[in-house]
Amino acid sequence: MRILFMGTPDFSVPALEALVKGGHEVAAVVTQPDKPKGRGKAVLMTPVKEKALEYGIPVYQPVRVKKDEEFLRMVEEMKPDAIVVIAFGQILPKRLLDIPKYGCINIHASLLPKYRGAAPIQWAVIDGEKETGITTMMMDVGLDTGDMLEKVVIPIEKDETGGSLHDKLSAAGGPLILSTLKKAEEGTLVRTPQTEEGTCYAKMLTKSLGDIDWSQDAESIERLIRGLNPWPSAYTSLNGKTLKIWQAEVLDESPEGTPGQVVKASQGEFLVKTGKGTLKIESLQLEGKKRMDTDAFLRGYAVEAGTVFERRQ
């Protein structure tokens, strides 16, 4: 099948690899414009662009697909059988959606109709879901509202982080899109309209989301820590400095004190009272320092019991 592939971050790369290795003709790749990153502000290629160039596939980077008449005409002349989209990062116009014979097929990182939107992976962890997955869907002009095609379910482990779940779902996208395209070509693909029942929106992540509210229960805070690992991370304030918390364990203990108050910070144990239960911090990182386990942190940084963590905002 002749494919136009649209994607941008690391998450999209395994699907592109699967299409190439699966024998499809990837006529071109469309990705977001290169952007300056890091302290040096060096302009870096997107991960999808890097992979496309490895394969010798032409790359296009329109700033705004909707407004780029030259790009839209190019796609019309290309006449792709299907457009495959995964984490591309722009809303596509109806004119583009109508071009391919088999339509525009999106690979979405949730079990639709649940978790439409920008950050379905992290919110599934934060919300305490037991499972999530990948859904292929026909794209329409709405945001993740098109007919569902196929799904694969991925269990969410007890210690799952946003990062580990990202990698599992990314790997699952390749085999699923190959299955979906095969059925499309055979005429056996079943389209299931989405309903509004059970749906929810996975809003975009912001750094401020990681500012821990210690009045919440320990389980909710622990899920937030895992869901925002590795980005944007969960954090609090210790003596005016940002303290990132990378790993924690929930304890049922309910000591006296204020939410956010350090109950114990000695003998390798770092316990903090929450709105309900206690959080045992296992891995953390003080502003300007490297990430370390609790024992190493407490050997180099004295924290007194009774200290109260504050919110940064």
CSV table of all heavy atoms in Angstrom, one decimal, residues 176-215:
chain,number,residue,atom,x,y,z
A,176,LEU,N,-0.3,-3.2,15.3
A,176,LEU,CA,-1.7,-2.9,15.1
A,176,LEU,C,-2.0,-2.2,13.8
A,176,LEU,O,-3.0,-2.5,13.1
A,176,LEU,CB,-2.2,-2.1,16.3
A,176,LEU,CG,-3.7,-2.0,16.4
A,176,LEU,CD1,-4.4,-3.4,16.6
A,176,LEU,CD2,-4.2,-1.0,17.5
A,177,ILE,N,-1.1,-1.3,13.4
A,177,ILE,CA,-1.4,-0.6,12.2
A,177,ILE,C,-1.2,-1.5,11.0
A,177,ILE,O,-2.0,-1.4,10.0
A,177,ILE,CB,-0.5,0.7,12.0
A,177,ILE,CG1,-1.0,1.6,10.8
A,177,ILE,CG2,0.9,0.4,11.9
A,177,ILE,CD1,-2.5,2.0,10.9
A,178,LEU,N,-0.3,-2.5,11.0
A,178,LEU,CA,-0.2,-3.4,9.9
A,178,LEU,C,-1.4,-4.3,9.8
A,178,LEU,O,-1.9,-4.6,8.7
A,178,LEU,CB,1.1,-4.3,10.2
A,178,LEU,CG,2.4,-3.6,10.1
A,178,LEU,CD1,3.5,-4.7,10.3
A,178,LEU,CD2,2.6,-3.0,8.7
A,179,SER,N,-2.0,-4.7,11.0
A,179,SER,CA,-3.2,-5.5,10.9
A,179,SER,C,-4.4,-4.7,10.4
A,179,SER,O,-5.2,-5.1,9.5
A,179,SER,CB,-3.6,-5.9,12.4
A,179,SER,OG,-4.9,-6.5,12.4
A,180,THR,N,-4.5,-3.4,10.8
A,180,THR,CA,-5.6,-2.5,10.3
A,180,THR,C,-5.5,-2.3,8.8
A,180,THR,O,-6.5,-2.4,8.1
A,180,THR,CB,-5.5,-1.2,11.1
A,180,THR,OG1,-5.7,-1.4,12.5
A,180,THR,CG2,-6.6,-0.3,10.6
A,181,LEU,N,-4.3,-2.0,8.3
A,181,LEU,CA,-4.1,-1.8,6.9
A,181,LEU,C,-4.4,-3.0,6.0
A,181,LEU,O,-5.0,-2.9,5.0
A,181,LEU,CB,-2.7,-1.3,6.6
A,181,LEU,CG,-2.4,0.1,7.1
A,181,LEU,CD1,-0.9,0.4,6.9
A,181,LEU,CD2,-3.2,1.2,6.5
A,182,LYS,N,-4.0,-4.2,6.6
A,182,LYS,CA,-4.3,-5.4,5.9
A,182,LYS,C,-5.8,-5.7,5.7
A,182,LYS,O,-6.3,-6.0,4.6
A,182,LYS,CB,-3.7,-6.6,6.6
A,182,LYS,CG,-3.8,-8.0,5.9
A,182,LYS,CD,-3.0,-9.0,6.7
A,182,LYS,CE,-3.0,-10.3,6.0
A,182,LYS,NZ,-4.3,-11.0,6.1
A,183,LYS,N,-6.5,-5.4,6.8
A,183,LYS,CA,-8.0,-5.6,6.8
A,183,LYS,C,-8.7,-4.5,5.9
A,183,LYS,O,-9.7,-4.8,5.2
A,183,LYS,CB,-8.6,-5.5,8.2
A,183,LYS,CG,-8.2,-6.8,9.0
A,183,LYS,CD,-8.7,-6.7,10.4
A,183,LYS,CE,-8.3,-7.9,11.3
A,183,LYS,NZ,-8.8,-7.8,12.6
A,184,ALA,N,-8.1,-3.3,5.9
A,184,ALA,CA,-8.6,-2.3,5.0
A,184,ALA,C,-8.5,-2.7,3.5
A,184,ALA,O,-9.5,-2.6,2.7
A,184,ALA,CB,-7.9,-1.0,5.2
A,185,GLU,N,-7.4,-3.3,3.2
A,185,GLU,CA,-7.1,-3.7,1.8
A,185,GLU,C,-8.0,-4.9,1.4
A,185,GLU,O,-8.5,-5.0,0.3
A,185,GLU,CB,-5.6,-4.1,1.7
A,185,GLU,CG,-5.1,-3.9,0.3
A,185,GLU,CD,-3.6,-3.9,0.2
A,185,GLU,OE1,-2.9,-4.3,1.2
A,185,GLU,OE2,-3.0,-3.4,-0.8
A,186,GLU,N,-8.2,-5.8,2.4
A,186,GLU,CA,-9.1,-6.9,2.1
A,186,GLU,C,-10.6,-6.6,2.2
A,186,GLU,O,-11.4,-7.5,1.8
A,186,GLU,CB,-8.8,-8.0,3.2
A,186,GLU,CG,-7.4,-8.6,3.1
A,186,GLU,CD,-7.0,-9.5,4.3
A,186,GLU,OE1,-7.8,-9.4,5.3
A,186,GLU,OE2,-6.0,-10.2,4.2
A,187,GLY,N,-10.9,-5.5,2.7
A,187,GLY,CA,-12.3,-5.1,2.8
A,187,GLY,C,-13.0,-5.7,4.0
A,187,GLY,O,-14.3,-5.8,4.0
A,188,THR,N,-12.2,-6.1,5.0
A,188,THR,CA,-12.8,-6.8,6.2
A,188,THR,C,-12.8,-5.9,7.4
A,188,THR,O,-13.1,-6.4,8.5
A,188,THR,CB,-12.1,-8.1,6.5
A,188,THR,OG1,-10.7,-7.8,6.7
A,188,THR,CG2,-12.2,-9.1,5.3
A,189,LEU,N,-12.4,-4.7,7.3
A,189,LEU,CA,-12.3,-3.8,8.4
A,189,LEU,C,-13.6,-3.4,8.9
A,189,LEU,O,-14.5,-2.9,8.1
A,189,LEU,CB,-11.5,-2.6,8.0
A,189,LEU,CG,-10.8,-1.7,9.1
A,189,LEU,CD1,-9.9,-2.6,10.0
A,189,LEU,CD2,-10.0,-0.6,8.5
A,190,VAL,N,-13.9,-3.5,10.2
A,190,VAL,CA,-15.1,-3.1,10.8
A,190,VAL,C,-15.0,-1.8,11.5
A,190,VAL,O,-14.1,-1.6,12.3
A,190,VAL,CB,-15.6,-4.2,11.8
A,190,VAL,CG1,-16.9,-3.7,12.5
A,190,VAL,CG2,-15.8,-5.5,11.1
A,191,ARG,N,-15.9,-0.8,11.2
A,191,ARG,CA,-15.8,0.5,11.8
A,191,ARG,C,-16.9,0.6,12.9
A,191,ARG,O,-18.1,0.2,12.7
A,191,ARG,CB,-16.1,1.6,10.7
A,191,ARG,CG,-15.0,1.6,9.7
A,191,ARG,CD,-15.4,2.6,8.6
A,191,ARG,NE,-15.6,4.0,9.0
A,191,ARG,CZ,-15.3,5.1,8.3
A,191,ARG,NH1,-14.8,4.9,7.1
A,191,ARG,NH2,-15.5,6.3,8.8
A,192,THR,N,-16.5,1.0,14.1
A,192,THR,CA,-17.4,1.1,15.2
A,192,THR,C,-17.4,2.6,15.6
A,192,THR,O,-16.4,3.1,16.1
A,192,THR,CB,-16.9,0.2,16.4
A,192,THR,OG1,-16.7,-1.1,16.0
A,192,THR,CG2,-17.9,0.3,17.6
A,193,PRO,N,-18.6,3.2,15.5
A,193,PRO,CA,-18.7,4.6,15.9
A,193,PRO,C,-18.5,4.8,17.4
A,193,PRO,O,-18.9,3.9,18.2
A,193,PRO,CB,-20.2,5.0,15.5
A,193,PRO,CG,-20.5,4.0,14.5
A,193,PRO,CD,-19.8,2.7,14.8
A,194,GLN,N,-17.8,5.9,17.7
A,194,GLN,CA,-17.7,6.2,19.2
A,194,GLN,C,-18.9,6.7,19.7
A,194,GLN,O,-19.7,7.5,19.1
A,194,GLN,CB,-16.5,7.2,19.3
A,194,GLN,CG,-15.2,6.6,19.0
A,194,GLN,CD,-14.1,7.6,19.4
A,194,GLN,OE1,-14.0,8.0,20.6
A,194,GLN,NE2,-13.2,8.0,18.5
A,195,THR,N,-19.2,6.4,21.0
A,195,THR,CA,-20.3,7.0,21.7
A,195,THR,C,-19.7,8.0,22.8
A,195,THR,O,-18.5,8.0,23.0
A,195,THR,CB,-21.1,6.0,22.5
A,195,THR,OG1,-20.3,5.3,23.5
A,195,THR,CG2,-21.6,4.9,21.5
A,196,GLU,N,-20.5,8.8,23.4
A,196,GLU,CA,-20.0,9.7,24.4
A,196,GLU,C,-20.0,9.0,25.8
A,196,GLU,O,-19.4,9.6,26.7
A,196,GLU,CB,-20.9,11.0,24.5
A,196,GLU,CG,-20.8,11.8,23.2
A,196,GLU,CD,-19.3,12.3,22.9
A,196,GLU,OE1,-18.7,12.7,23.8
A,196,GLU,OE2,-18.9,12.1,21.8
A,197,GLU,N,-20.6,7.9,25.9
A,197,GLU,CA,-20.6,7.2,27.1
A,197,GLU,C,-19.2,6.7,27.5
A,197,GLU,O,-18.5,6.0,26.8
A,197,GLU,CB,-21.6,6.0,27.0
A,197,GLU,CG,-21.8,5.2,28.3
A,197,GLU,CD,-22.8,4.1,28.2
A,197,GLU,OE1,-23.4,4.0,27.2
A,197,GLU,OE2,-22.8,3.3,29.2
A,198,GLY,N,-18.8,7.0,28.7
A,198,GLY,CA,-17.5,6.5,29.2
A,198,GLY,C,-16.3,7.3,28.7
A,198,GLY,O,-15.2,7.0,29.0
A,199,THR,N,-16.5,8.3,27.9
A,199,THR,CA,-15.4,9.1,27.4
A,199,THR,C,-14.9,10.1,28.4
A,199,THR,O,-15.6,10.5,29.4
A,199,THR,CB,-15.8,9.8,26.1
A,199,THR,OG1,-14.6,10.3,25.5
A,199,THR,CG2,-16.7,11.0,26.4
A,200,CYS,N,-13.6,10.5,28.3
A,200,CYS,CA,-13.0,11.5,29.1
A,200,CYS,C,-11.9,12.1,28.3
A,200,CYS,O,-11.4,11.5,27.4
A,200,CYS,CB,-12.5,11.0,30.4
A,200,CYS,SG,-11.3,9.7,30.3
A,201,TYR,N,-11.5,13.3,28.6
A,201,TYR,CA,-10.5,14.1,27.9
A,201,TYR,C,-9.2,14.1,28.6
A,201,TYR,O,-9.2,14.5,29.8
A,201,TYR,CB,-11.0,15.5,27.6
A,201,TYR,CG,-10.0,16.3,26.7
A,201,TYR,CD1,-9.8,16.0,25.4
A,201,TYR,CD2,-9.3,17.3,27.3
A,201,TYR,CE1,-8.9,16.7,24.6
A,201,TYR,CE2,-8.4,18.1,26.6
A,201,TYR,CZ,-8.2,17.8,25.2
A,201,TYR,OH,-7.3,18.5,24.5
A,202,ALA,N,-8.1,13.7,28.0
A,202,ALA,CA,-6.8,13.7,28.6
A,202,ALA,C,-6.1,15.0,28.2
A,202,ALA,O,-5.4,15.1,27.2
A,202,ALA,CB,-6.0,12.5,28.1
A,203,LYS,N,-6.3,16.0,29.1
A,203,LYS,CA,-5.7,17.3,28.8
A,203,LYS,C,-4.2,17.3,28.7
A,203,LYS,O,-3.5,16.5,29.3
A,203,LYS,CB,-6.2,18.4,29.8
A,203,LYS,CG,-5.7,18.1,31.2
A,203,LYS,CD,-6.3,19.2,32.2
A,203,LYS,CE,-5.7,19.0,33.6
A,203,LYS,NZ,-6.3,19.9,34.5
A,204,MET,N,-3.7,18.3,28.0
A,204,MET,CA,-2.2,18.5,27.9
A,204,MET,C,-1.5,18.6,29.2
A,204,MET,O,-2.0,19.2,30.2
A,204,MET,CB,-1.9,19.7,27.0
A,204,MET,CG,-0.5,19.8,26.6
A,204,MET,SD,-0.2,21.2,25.4
A,204,MET,CE,-1.2,20.7,24.0
A,205,LEU,N,-0.3,18.0,29.3
A,205,LEU,CA,0.5,18.1,30.6
A,205,LEU,C,1.1,19.5,30.7
A,205,LEU,O,1.6,20.1,29.7
A,205,LEU,CB,1.5,17.0,30.6
A,205,LEU,CG,1.1,15.6,30.5
A,205,LEU,CD1,2.3,14.7,30.6
A,205,LEU,CD2,0.1,15.3,31.7
A,206,THR,N,1.2,20.0,31.9
A,206,THR,CA,1.9,21.2,32.1
A,206,THR,C,2.8,21.0,33.3
A,206,THR,O,2.6,20.1,34.1
A,206,THR,CB,1.0,22.4,32.5
A,206,THR,OG1,0.3,22.1,33.7
A,206,THR,CG2,0.0,22.7,31.3
A,207,LYS,N,3.9,21.8,33.5
A,207,LYS,CA,4.8,21.6,34.6
A,207,LYS,C,4.1,21.8,35.9
A,207,LYS,O,4.4,21.2,36.9
A,207,LYS,CB,6.0,22.6,34.4
A,207,LYS,CG,7.0,22.2,33.4
A,207,LYS,CD,8.2,23.1,33.4
A,207,LYS,CE,9.2,22.6,32.3
A,207,LYS,NZ,10.4,23.5,32.3
A,208,SER,N,3.2,22.8,35.9
A,208,SER,CA,2.5,23.1,37.2
A,208,SER,C,1.6,21.9,37.7
A,208,SER,O,1.3,21.8,38.9
A,208,SER,CB,1.6,24.3,37.0
A,208,SER,OG,0.6,24.1,36.1
A,209,LEU,N,1.3,21.0,36.8
A,209,LEU,CA,0.5,19.8,37.2
A,209,LEU,C,1.3,19.0,38.2
A,209,LEU,O,0.7,18.3,39.1
A,209,LEU,CB,0.2,19.0,36.0
A,209,LEU,CG,-0.7,17.7,36.2
A,209,LEU,CD1,-2.0,18.0,36.7
A,209,LEU,CD2,-0.8,16.9,34.9
A,210,GLY,N,2.6,19.0,38.2
A,210,GLY,CA,3.4,18.2,39.1
A,210,GLY,C,3.6,18.8,40.5
A,210,GLY,O,4.2,18.1,41.3
A,211,ASP,N,3.1,20.0,40.7
A,211,ASP,CA,3.2,20.6,42.1
A,211,ASP,C,2.3,19.9,43.0
A,211,ASP,O,1.1,20.0,43.0
A,211,ASP,CB,2.8,22.1,41.9
A,211,ASP,CG,3.2,22.9,43.1
A,211,ASP,OD1,3.8,22.3,44.1
A,211,ASP,OD2,3.0,24.1,43.1
A,212,ILE,N,2.9,19.1,43.9
A,212,ILE,CA,2.1,18.1,44.7
A,212,ILE,C,1.3,18.8,45.8
A,212,ILE,O,1.7,19.7,46.5
A,212,ILE,CB,3.1,17.2,45.5
A,212,ILE,CG1,3.9,16.3,44.5
A,212,ILE,CG2,2.3,16.3,46.5
A,212,ILE,CD1,5.0,15.4,45.1
A,213,ASP,N,0.0,18.5,45.8
A,213,ASP,CA,-1.0,19.0,46.8
A,213,ASP,C,-1.0,17.9,47.9
A,213,ASP,O,-1.6,16.8,47.7
A,213,ASP,CB,-2.3,19.1,46.1
A,213,ASP,CG,-3.4,19.6,47.1
A,213,ASP,OD1,-3.0,19.8,48.3
A,213,ASP,OD2,-4.5,19.8,46.7
A,214,TRP,N,-0.3,18.2,49.0
A,214,TRP,CA,-0.2,17.1,50.0
A,214,TRP,C,-1.5,16.9,50.8
A,214,TRP,O,-1.6,15.9,51.6
A,214,TRP,CB,0.9,17.6,51.0
A,214,TRP,CG,2.2,17.6,50.4
A,214,TRP,CD1,2.9,18.6,49.9
A,214,TRP,CD2,3.0,16.4,50.1
A,214,TRP,NE1,4.1,18.2,49.3
A,214,TRP,CE2,4.2,16.8,49.5
A,214,TRP,CE3,2.9,15.0,50.4
A,214,TRP,CZ2,5.2,16.0,49.1
A,214,TRP,CZ3,3.9,14.2,50.0
A,214,TRP,CH2,5.1,14.6,49.3
A,215,SER,N,-2.5,17.7,50.6
A,215,SER,CA,-3.8,17.4,51.2
A,215,SER,C,-4.5,16.3,50.5
A,215,SER,O,-5.5,15.7,51.1
A,215,SER,CB,-4.7,18.7,51.2
A,215,SER,OG,-5.1,19.0,49.9
